[in-house]
Amino acid sequence: GWQVSMKSGSLSCILPCNRLPVQLMSQVRVYTSNGQKKDLGSEDTNGSARGETPHKVETGRQDTSNAGQKQSSPKQPIQVKVKAVLKKREYGPKYTQNNFITGVRAINEFCLKSSDLDQLRKIKRRSPHDDTETFTVYLRSDVEAKSLEVWGSPEALARERKRRKEEEIKYRENLFRNQRLLWEYKEFFGNTKPRSSTAAMFFKGPGKVVMVAICINGLNFFFKLLAWVYTGSASMFSEAIHSLADTCNQALLALGISQSARTPDPSHPYGFTNMRYIASLISGVGIFMMGAGLSWYHGIIGLLHPHPVESLLWAYCILAGSLVSEGATLLVAINEIRRSARAKGLSFYQYVVQSRDPSTNVVLLEDAAAVLSVAVAATCMGLTSLTGNPYYDSVGSLGVGTLLGTVSAFLIYTNTEALLGRSIEPEQLQRLTELLESDPVVRAIHDVKATDMGMSKVRFKAEVDFDGRVVTRSYLEKQDIEQLLQEIQQVKTLEELEAFMLKHGENIVDTLGAEVDRLEKDLKQRNPDVRHVDLEIL
């Protein structure tokens, strides 16, 4: 049977065993955050003394054997120690009492004035921005209390928020009227950051290449159109359409370059860089529709309904002039791509295939196709002049259309890949990974993703397993160890221990955040292409 004996600070259980009675010695203390202590197991209950023998089953044979074993085997107590733990604090599904908010957010969301914030506690925290080290924040609970003090009740605050929201909607609707006021506001206060002029972008780099191509292709279209009207050549018509398509597409590229220089806004936090790829993609589609489509159409019509071709002398002269002008534009594009590829450490072919600069790529491929198409058109027109067979001229038109279709397919493919967000080169990704893993604060990195956002801008993301010992040592190296030891020796109660751990625990977390900022800064400094870094803590 069972015999339970309770003593002060101990628990004695005599089990129904024929071998050995076991005595458990333990004392359980439950601590709460207010320092209260509760003792369990302090009652002295002896079943044999008080006459209480729960679940007791007696048999003559068991009593005889138990009595003999009690005399022969000594008692071996087993002591079990229970750790003291804090009582778990319930925060509920929503807890915002310790949240920090900025002054701008406090003014906008809680309808306060800057003078109201002067009366609140100001807390200096580590800034998330690269240009500042610290910035001022406020406790959300203080801001909420101040807003209720100013507005009187949550209902009044809600009405004021609704009123301001309606005014904001009206302001957005009338934004066009307020543009002049906004311009005067900017002139009065000045711009916080210098912005490059849009016009200056077209005097260097890809903008210069595009503007040169627009001027030359516009002149080529005009003269080719005159030659087609004079001769009626299908090949010359294809060349005129080709030059028109090039002029329109390069005007679209110029629009994309100007739009890509726009400053990021809340709706587009990563900027408008992809506008160049979008313009290049539309340009590729335009080449296919206007250039290849019309050339094929005119060539097929020439095969079905051939007609004699007039004197081609003027056509040859215009084609020769187009060859020189298109070749000059092609050389400008080649030199620009070589310079950019050399700066990135890439070969000419890699730079073109990866579509690092979509605007220059379009000009390069269009001018290369123009030079080849001039050669094809001149050859077919020459065969027509020698043989008198107009079918050669129609075949030349089909050849020019096929060449333009190939160029458009390549542009559509490369720009679509860029817009989808492709990964960077494995060698560059390996360098970024090794840079993180070589830091002593990092144990391992997982789920590494590096996306090419276009125009030499990379977004890097990784989940990092930090070494807590190294982070803690980094915090301790900045502390006065003797003073820290004195604080530890002064800890006597549970409240003092909790306050000590909360104070230094928060500081260690801040140190971890500073280490994350340091790693992100190192990645950006050693790899200028990396513009956005997201390190997630495991």
Side-chain angles (χ1 to χ4, degrees), residues 444-509:
I445 59 175
H446 309 278
D447 194 20
V448 180
K449 297 177 182 177
T451 306
D452 187 357
M453 300 175 59
M455 299 304 300
S456 301
K457 293 183 179 180
V458 176
R459 181 179 181 181
F460 182 83
K461 178 262 179 186
E463 294 187 1
V464 184
D465 184 5
F466 286 90
D467 191 339
R469 293 177 177 270
V470 176
V471 175
T472 306
R473 182 175 294 276
S474 175
Y475 168 71
L476 293 177
E477 290 173 353
K478 302 175 183 177
Q479 305 299 316
D480 187 350
I481 300 300
E482 294 183 356
Q483 181 180 358
L484 191 62
L485 180 60
Q486 292 178 0
E487 292 182 9
I488 296 174
Q489 293 174 350
Q490 293 175 359
V491 173
K492 303 298 182 183
T493 63
L494 179 63
E495 292 84 354
E496 295 176 351
L497 176 62
E498 182 181 2
F500 176 82
M501 295 299 297
L502 292 177
K503 171 187 173 182
H504 293 283
E506 183 178 8
N507 293 337
I508 291 175
V509 172

Side-chain angles (χ1 to χ4, degrees), residues 201-228:
M201 299 180 62
F202 295 102
F203 293 99
K204 60 181 180 180
K208 178 182 177 181
V209 176
V210 171
M211 293 306 296
V212 171
I214 289 175
C215 296
I216 292 179
N217 284 318
L219 292 175
N220 288 340
F221 165 70
F222 178 73
F223 289 113
K224 288 178 182 179
L225 185 63
L226 291 180
W228 170 71

Side-chain angles (χ1 to χ4, degrees), residues 127-364:
S127 174
H129 308 290
D130 296 335
D131 53 352
T132 56
E133 294 183 358
T134 59
F135 72 129
T136 303
V137 294
Y138 303 88
L139 272 175
R140 184 188 180 96
S141 56
D142 293 347
V143 175
E144 291 177 348
K146 187 64 179 180
S147 65
L148 292 179
E149 177 185 344
V150 171
W151 295 103
S153 64
E155 292 77 11
L157 177 60
R159 287 194 299 269
E160 179 63 20
R161 286 176 177 173
K162 183 178 179 181
R163 186 186 67 81
R164 294 191 179 188
K165 188 67 175 178
E166 293 175 351
E167 289 182 354
E168 182 180 358
I169 294 174
K170 292 180 180 179
Y171 173 77
R172 290 181 178 179
E173 292 176 352
N174 300 327
L175 185 60
F176 182 76
R177 303 178 191 174
N178 298 328
Q179 283 183 349
R180 184 175 180 180
L181 294 177
L182 291 175
W183 179 255
E184 293 176 356
Y185 174 85
K186 290 179 181 179
E187 286 186 346
F188 180 78
F189 288 95
N191 293 327
T192 56
K193 295 182 179 180
R195 298 178 182 177
S196 60
S197 175
T198 305
M201 299 180 62
F202 295 102
F203 293 99
K204 60 181 180 180
K208 178 182 177 181
V209 176
V210 171
M211 293 306 296
V212 171
I214 289 175
C215 296
I216 292 179
N217 284 318
L219 292 175
N220 288 340
F221 165 70
F222 178 73
F223 289 113
K224 288 178 182 179
L225 185 63
L226 291 180
W228 170 71
V229 172
Y230 180 73
T231 62
S233 170
S235 296
M236 186 55 65
F237 175 79
S238 298
E239 280 299 306
I241 293 299
H242 183 188
S243 297
L244 176 61
D246 289 349
T247 304
C248 295
N249 290 330
Q250 285 151 10
L252 183 62
L253 294 178
L255 178 62
I257 291 175
S258 63
Q259 292 295 315
S260 65
R262 292 171 57 187
T263 305
D265 55 27
S267 300
H268 305 85
Y270 291 106
F272 299 84
T273 306
N274 285 337
M275 281 300 300
R276 294 195 182 189
Y277 292 98
I278 294 173
S280 300
L281 177 62
I282 299 174
S283 177
V285 176
I287 293 173
F288 184 82
M289 298 297 294
M290 294 180 60
L294 289 177
S295 297
W296 284 332
Y297 171 79
H298 208 73
I300 293 173
I301 293 297
L303 291 176
L304 296 177
H305 306 285
H307 61 276
V309 180
E310 302 295 335
S311 176
L312 299 178
L313 178 60
W314 286 105
Y316 290 140
C317 294
I318 292 175
L319 285 178
S322 297
L323 182 63
V324 173
S325 60
E326 297 284 1
T329 310
L330 179 62
L331 288 178
V332 173
I334 290 176
N335 292 332
E336 177 64 25
I337 290 180
R338 282 180 176 174
R339 185 186 63 81
S340 301
R342 193 181 304 112
K344 298 296 180 182
L346 299 174
S347 64
F348 185 89
Y349 175 77
Q350 289 177 335
Y351 193 88
V352 173
V353 171
Q354 295 176 11
S355 189
R356 294 286 181 148
D357 187 354
S359 303
T360 309
N361 271 5
V362 172
V363 176
L364 172 71

